[in-house]
Amino acid sequence: MQSEVERANALIDELVQGDSAAAGSIGATPAPPVDYQLLTSTDLAALPPAPWLVRGLLPASGLAAVFGPSASGKSFLTLDLCLALAQGEPWFGHRTKESFVVYASLEGQLGMRQRVKAWEVRQGRAMPRKMRFLLQPFTLTSALDVVGLADAMLAAGGGGGVLVLDTLNRAAPTADENSSKDMGEILEQAKRFQERTGGLVILVHHTGKDSSKGMRGHSSLFAALDAVIEVSRDGERRKWSLAKSKDAEDGEARSFKLNVVELGTDEEGDPVTSCVVAGDSAVEEIKQVRLPKGGNQKIVLDVLRPLFREGRLGRPGAPPYKKSIELDVAVLEASSRLTCDKDRRTERARDAITRLVSGGVMGCQEGWLWLV
């Protein structure tokens, strides 16, 4: 009769033999253990820094995302980023590494032609040679699709390049984004593509019903990403911000706008247009404006605001999109509301307006005023 020790040893022998059989080497000598290297702080300091694709924003390899609500401009912004990368030009002031880029436009394919044409018209040159587009269906959760597209990209000289999947929902149409299992499969296949090409995969994604809660789907998506850029919109004001970066400080934000570009007319004579991304400095300029400090300045500003809303466009010297009012009318209206001595009200009104202009709150030229 076997003792407890003998039975335990027999069980261990069975497990060892089972592991060997699974490895295809029944009865073979077990493989030696992994040679783990335990690094010191000096060893760590000697390691090369992680390379950047976009300095301070996107790493040269890994997984990233650009996300935002519908109509926020995230696809336009992502295309603008890709075109900058394909020619190694700065993007919103950040240095970039010239890279081979494949943009998989999985929804709105027909509009991509017009977007590229709008960029070429505005830039006055052809699209960069390192910029490529995929308009065919692609399923990220299909191993065959992943290998096929990765190999096509490598064959075109795109090793170490960028793949954009716009959108994640169309790239994984049968997956449940809220399922940890399905999201795990999505991330596994995206990582497999990234490792095969040695570059960066950017997922264009939507927010949920509550945009304040970030990206739609399971929380494991955000956790697995190396960098995340969030796109938001308030009316015509659009903004991108760095929501996450594993190797840099997040929180940077820049405003942008979509400028309309006319591309001609269609067969019925109707105008054909698209948009291109442009930096929007107006928000930054407004932040730099010094708010009025004096009591008269505040009164005058409050008095003139309704007049500006009813002002006129296209006045000499004024920005074309700013409604302006006549300086004399502004002085007259403002002086009537001041509470100082009557014979000094006009002087005080002119002084308050002068200070508002010098402080950057208003602009003034050729007898017209406008709010900055």
Side-chain angles (χ1 to χ4, degrees), residues 65-134:
V66 177
F67 81 97
S70 296
S72 61
K74 59 182 178 293
S75 291
F76 281 103
L77 184 74
T78 306
L79 176 61
D80 186 71
L81 166 65
C82 291
L83 289 163
L85 289 171
Q87 53 197 341
E89 291 192 347
W91 191 68
F92 284 88
H94 290 264
R95 295 196 306 274
T96 67
K97 175 188 175 184
E98 184 176 332
S99 305
F100 189 97
V101 182
V102 174
Y103 196 115
S105 180
L106 304 178
E107 60 180 43
Q109 294 96 330
L110 295 178
M112 185 56 68
R113 175 180 174 272
Q114 292 179 193
R115 295 180 185 186
V116 171
K117 185 177 180 181
W119 185 91
E120 292 179 331
V121 169
R122 182 54 59 93
Q123 294 289 328
R125 53 181 161 157
M127 184 184 71
R129 295 186 64 184
K130 289 189 175 182
M131 184 78 209
R132 306 295 173 86
F133 293 90
L134 177 71

Side-chain angles (χ1 to χ4, degrees), residues 183-197:
M183 186 57 73
E185 184 180 359
I186 289 172
L187 291 168
E188 181 182 354
Q189 293 296 343
K191 189 66 176 176
R192 181 171 297 173
F193 185 99
Q194 184 272 321
E195 290 174 346
R196 195 174 185 89
T197 59

Side-chain angles (χ1 to χ4, degrees), residues 266-347:
D266 60 18
E267 61 277 5
E268 297 179 354
D270 294 326
V272 176
T273 64
S274 189
C275 296
V276 294
V277 169
D280 186 359
S281 61
V283 174
E284 283 68 32
E285 291 173 0
I286 291 172
K287 290 178 182 178
Q288 296 171 8
V289 167
R290 292 174 290 176
L291 296 178
K293 296 181 179 179
N296 285 346
Q297 293 180 54
K298 294 178 181 178
I299 293 173
V300 169
L301 185 59
D302 288 340
V303 170
L304 297 184
R305 284 189 189 278
L307 297 183
F308 283 120
R309 286 196 289 270
E310 302 298 326
R312 300 169 65 183
L313 294 172
R315 296 301 89 193
Y321 55 89
K322 292 288 187 181
K323 289 186 176 181
S324 304
I325 60 176
E326 291 184 85
L327 176 59
D328 290 343
V329 173
V331 172
L332 181 63
E333 186 69 21
S335 63
S336 67
R337 304 292 184 89
L338 297 180
T339 57
C340 59
D341 293 341
K342 189 174 182 179
D343 59 348
R344 303 191 64 183
R345 288 178 184 174
T346 299
E347 176 189 349

Side-chain angles (χ1 to χ4, degrees), residues 148-168:
L149 181 55
D151 288 352
M153 187 169 170
L154 291 172
V162 182
L163 170 68
V164 172
L165 295 177
D166 185 2
T167 61
L168 175 58

Side-chain angles (χ1 to χ4, degrees), residues 67 69 207-215 230:
F67 81 97
T207 56
K209 293 182 180 179
D210 184 354
S211 60
S212 65
K213 294 183 179 180
M215 286 188 294
E230 179 178 5

